[in-house]
Amino acid sequence: MSSRTVDAQDCAIVARGLTKRYGQLTVLDGVDLEIGHGEFVVLVGPSGSGKSTVLHLIAALEPADGGELIVAGQALHRHARGMSRFRRREIGIVFQLHNLIPRLTARENVEAAMFGTHRGHRERTDRATELLERLDLADRADERPTTMSGGERQRVAVARALANEPKVLLADEPTGSLDTASADIVLEIFAELIAGGTTILAVSHDARLNAHANRLVPIVAGKTEPAAP
Amino acid sequence: MTFFGLILRQIHARPLRALLTAGAVAIGVSAVVALGVLTASLKLTATQLLEVGRADFTVAQKHTDDLINSTISEDDMAAIGRVPGVSRAVGALISTDNYNADNPLLIEVGLKPSDQEPFGVDILAGKSYAADSTSDVMLGYVLAKNIGKQVGDNLVIDGNTYHVTGLYSTNVSFGNSTVMFPLSKLQGMNRLAGQVSLGFVQVDKGASIKDVAKRIDETFPQLTTIRSAADFGRADRNLTLISAANTGGSILAAMIAITGVLNTSLLSFFERIREFGIYRSIGWTRRRVIGLVIGEALVVSFAGAFIGILLGWVTINVLEQLRQLRGIFVPTYQSSIFIRSLAFGMIVAFFGALYPALRAAFVAPLKAVRRE
């Protein structure tokens, strides 16, 4: 995929001078990002550079200490009320460690993300089944994550993130634990989402994924660097 | 999957935890059921005593420890009979005696033959004793059947032999299990010459029962009128104490059950912090997380409450077999006790799970999902 110029008015994600500290440790020290609707951007950089923290701030899982952050039209730097609704409706997140509920089946894990939406329980079940089929997990839908391989769990996590048709999909190493065939399925889905206008921001060290991105944004020591040519 | 389905799924996933929570609620509910039935039954037994006399209201000595220990002089009874609005005032002496191991608390009623009809006594067989008889008695027909006696038989009470002259029934079932003596004989046996325990008052037709009772209350400050079970505590301190013990016992049971639910819910919360963080990170509201935790507790407690009701019923049956309670304790199962017990289980679940639910709702999603 080729990179493209992004108009600031047409951004799904805008971050300006984003900072985050944990005690004395400064994790982010001026992150600037502008990502357009339907763009696929990958944050790259060494471990500990703050890539995952950027995803967490964008997902409103924790507040930034400074700077400005607007996601899907919502100013998160003010960290107003209604963050649950924002996470449920606007964002889908795939965690690096999957974070599935071990006592629920794959289908139930996907369905759990749809509580509090307009979907009734049959619709939730149908949607979860459809997503798992799409990710080649139809025969594993009633299995618990504890009986699944890392790759299968990762795909369940992707299905859960897509359950509510988010405007912005955040993915932390979404293909990191996948074999080639599974990674291809995920990349295929990502391509469909981008075509449908979904914005994807991923953190990845996987060259297969990075090759499909519109842009790679390097983060080094908590700061965004100009993209490599 | 419905939200309720998710609740059931979570309960099913932790059967031991659910069992412990249900157990805590069951113990509390069984205590509430047993105490409730016991109190209601004792109250009913006691208030039936008041209803024997086919009266508009009963008169007793104020603040006695037990209604049977109430004493009213026959002169006062005669004076009550002269109070405006009073049609008739009958005095009866009540006492108890040990008949045998199966009937350790035989209730004896001392009544003049002339007062039997207004008192509601209907002689079914034989005839009444004479007013001055010292060796004749009548038996309630239920008691007669229980002890295998009939008209003409003799029976021995406290070493004295009495001749059964008749069998009777009264307007309430309680009276059918009593033995009736001439008033003077029972007064002599109890060294209460000229005294009765209770007065049974009928008012004139058209007169206000309330006004007549008030007049008696004002005229005889040492006495109290009892028109309903609610008034009973003014005369009988024991019943007031039993009611208080019931309330106190129920509060204690609630505290034990709440502590049990709180303990298991809190342990469950610590086990599931990561899970709650995941729910929050995928967009669950705090309210939904609270709903999940309290929902689980309510469902488990509902099951626990049913088990508790069953345990309470078993406890009541055991109590009923105790010799000390025979004759006093006849279980009375009121639906209100069971409804109250179920409500108790739900309240216990709500308050026991509230704190863990709030803790779960306010976990920081990211910190929680990072937990191993």
Side-chain angles (χ1 to χ4, degrees), chain A residues 53-125:
Chain A
T53 303
V54 172
L55 289 193
H56 296 152
L57 297 189
I58 291 171
L61 290 174
E62 55 184 347
D65 292 322
E68 191 181 348
L69 179 61
I70 299 167
V71 180
Q74 191 149 343
L76 300 188
H77 52 280
R78 293 188 188 124
H79 216 72
R81 292 168 65 89
M83 287 300 107
S84 303
R85 185 188 167 95
F86 168 78
R87 282 196 288 271
R88 190 168 62 248
R89 295 200 170 184
E90 314 292 351
I91 296 288
I93 184 162
V94 182
F95 292 97
Q96 189 174 5
L97 295 173
H98 322 126
N99 286 335
L100 299 173
I101 312 286
R103 287 189 170 89
L104 300 183
T105 64
R107 197 195 323 271
E108 289 165 344
N109 264 283
V110 179
E111 285 183 58
M114 290 182 268
F115 283 120
T117 65
H118 63 280
R119 290 189 169 97
H121 78 272
R122 287 191 193 287
E123 213 181 329
R124 286 196 294 266
T125 306

Side-chain angles (χ1 to χ4, degrees), chain B residues 177-255:
Chain B
S177 297
T178 57
V179 55
M180 196 169 287
F181 290 82
L183 178 61
S184 56
K185 169 64 183 172
L186 199 60
Q187 285 171 333
M189 282 161 64
N190 289 282
R191 294 186 179 82
L192 286 170
Q195 304 286 320
V196 293
S197 307
L198 300 169
F200 298 88
V201 177
Q202 274 182 343
V203 302
D204 289 332
K205 262 190 179 172
S208 161
I209 295 171
K210 191 178 169 186
D211 289 347
V212 174
K214 191 179 171 193
R215 215 167 287 148
I216 292 172
D217 279 332
E218 286 168 357
T219 313
F220 304 91
Q222 78 281 18
L223 304 180
T224 184
T225 55
I226 304 164
R227 280 174 286 141
S228 66
D231 295 338
F232 199 77
R234 288 194 294 172
D236 194 313
R237 280 187 194 163
N238 277 350
L239 203 67
T240 309
L241 288 174
I242 290 168
S243 295
N246 176 29
T247 307
S250 298
I251 290 170
L252 196 65
M255 286 169 67

Side-chain angles (χ1 to χ4, degrees), chain B residues 20 37 55 59 87 120-121 221 227 244 285 347 365:
Chain B
L20 288 171
V37 172
V59 181
S87 161
V121 174
R227 280 174 286 141
T285 57
I347 290 167

Side-chain angles (χ1 to χ4, degrees), chain A residues 22 56 61-62 87 95 97-102, chain B residues 269-282 289 359-372:
Chain A
Y22 294 115
H56 296 152
L61 290 174
E62 55 184 347
R87 282 196 288 271
F95 292 97
L97 295 173
H98 322 126
N99 286 335
L100 299 173
I101 312 286
Chain B
F269 159 72
F270 285 120
E271 276 178 7
R272 296 168 66 191
I273 288 180
R274 190 161 184 273
E275 179 184 325
F276 296 127
I278 293 169
Y279 288 135
R280 294 283 291 135
S281 72
I282 61 173
V289 174
R359 289 280 306 265
F362 282 88
V363 294
L366 208 53
K367 276 186 190 168
V369 297
R370 279 176 182 151
R371 283 174 72 104
E372 286 303 318

Side-chain angles (χ1 to χ4, degrees), chain A:
Chain A
M1 289 185 190
S2 60
S3 65
R4 70 183 200 196
T5 308
V6 177
D7 182 348
Q9 297 297 311
D10 186 33
C11 285
I13 300 170
V14 177
R16 294 193 185 102
L18 215 53
T19 61
K20 180 69 185 172
R21 283 182 296 276
Y22 294 115
Q24 299 296 312
L25 180 69
T26 300
V27 181
L28 298 181
D29 190 18
V31 167
D32 297 305
L33 272 176
E34 282 189 354
I35 303 173
H37 294 292
E39 206 181 1
F40 180 13
V41 174
V42 176
L43 301 178
V44 293
S47 297
S49 57
K51 303 184 296 296
S52 295
T53 303
V54 172
L55 289 193
H56 296 152
L57 297 189
I58 291 171
L61 290 174
E62 55 184 347
D65 292 322
E68 191 181 348
L69 179 61
I70 299 167
V71 180
Q74 191 149 343
L76 300 188
H77 52 280
R78 293 188 188 124
H79 216 72
R81 292 168 65 89
M83 287 300 107
S84 303
R85 185 188 167 95
F86 168 78
R87 282 196 288 271
R88 190 168 62 248
R89 295 200 170 184
E90 314 292 351
I91 296 288
I93 184 162
V94 182
F95 292 97
Q96 189 174 5
L97 295 173
H98 322 126
N99 286 335
L100 299 173
I101 312 286
R103 287 189 170 89
L104 300 183
T105 64
R107 197 195 323 271
E108 289 165 344
N109 264 283
V110 179
E111 285 183 58
M114 290 182 268
F115 283 120
T117 65
H118 63 280
R119 290 189 169 97
H121 78 272
R122 287 191 193 287
E123 213 181 329
R124 286 196 294 266
T125 306
D126 291 345
R127 171 83 178 145
T129 305
E130 176 198 322
L131 284 165
L132 291 171
E133 278 172 5
R134 184 75 190 83
L135 283 148
D136 200 24
L137 287 167
D139 58 335
R140 307 286 281 156
D142 295 318
E143 300 292 327
R144 290 183 179 190
T146 44
T147 66
M148 292 177 157
S149 68
E152 286 172 330
R153 284 202 288 265
Q154 186 73 307
R155 280 182 282 154
V156 175
V158 172
R160 185 180 63 187
L162 297 177
N164 296 323
E165 297 166 278
K167 289 178 185 157
V168 176
L169 177 68
L170 305 168
D172 200 345
E173 301 285 1
T175 56
S177 54
L178 299 184
D179 57 27
T180 308
S182 299
D184 285 345
I185 293 171
V186 170
L187 290 172
E188 213 175 285
I189 287 175
F190 278 15
E192 280 174 22
L193 292 171
I194 293 158
T198 304
T199 304
I200 301 178
L201 177 61
V203 167
S204 177
H205 292 100
D206 185 352
R208 291 171 302 181
L209 182 81
N210 297 358
H212 286 76
N214 297 115
R215 282 189 289 148
L216 302 182
V217 176
I219 296 187
V220 178
K223 289 182 181 175
T224 40
E225 299 271 309

